Amino acid sequence: MQTQCIRIPLRPEHAETFIAFARSLAEDPRTLAEVLFEEDMHTELVFIDRTPDELAVVLFTRAPDLAAAHAVLERSEHPVQIRMRALSAQAFDLSDARVLDVVIDYDRLRDGPPR
């Protein structure tokens, strides 16, 4: 299983649109499950980091193959994935994106009880 955590600054003029879209996904778990299942994404956590100077999205993902999951996102015809590609192209400032170190990645259901 692969994990990744990345912090991506949001362009101010598109930040609230992206955040509203993300919140709408959280309110529609069935649709969210469809697109994450399509990508074979096991975990996706999205956080908003608000500082006095910027808004950023922090994205934690876990999948058997993150590159394959991203490839599915890029070619998907699902309306949510199409909208996600458009919004991320507008809102994400990838020039300042940073991969964060995942120090602990423990999932009780995945890893089972201590032995």
Side-chain angles (χ1 to χ4, degrees):
M1 194 69 59
Q2 298 176 335
T3 61
Q4 177 177 301
C5 189
I6 187 166
R7 183 182 185 280
I8 308 166
L10 296 171
R11 293 185 180 102
E13 65 273 21
H14 300 291
E16 293 305 327
T17 302
F18 175 81
I19 293 168
F21 175 72
R23 288 189 195 288
S24 75
L25 288 177
E27 294 169 1
D28 186 359
R30 179 183 215 118
T31 299
L32 183 58
E34 285 176 12
V35 297
L36 294 178
F37 186 83
E38 179 182 36
E39 296 174 358
D40 198 20
M41 189 68 65
H42 289 223
T43 304
E44 183 167 283
L45 301 171
V46 179
F47 306 90
I48 301 301
D49 182 18
R50 295 177 188 269
T51 69
D53 299 327
E54 73 178 355
L55 284 172
V57 63
V58 176
L59 177 63
F60 175 88
T61 53
R62 180 185 300 123
D65 184 335
L66 289 170
H70 183 72
V72 170
L73 166 66
E74 289 301 313
R75 70 175 181 268
S76 175
E77 293 299 317
H78 192 290
V80 167
Q81 301 289 47
I82 292 168
R83 182 76 173 133
M84 177 58 79
R85 288 193 304 264
L87 281 175
S88 60
Q90 290 176 333
F92 290 5
D93 182 0
L94 295 176
S95 68
D96 283 332
R98 293 183 292 132
V99 174
L100 305 176
D101 291 334
V102 177
V103 178
I104 295 175
D105 177 13
Y106 173 77
D107 183 315
R108 181 176 151 216
L109 295 177
R110 178 191 68 197
D111 298 335
R115 291 182 169 75

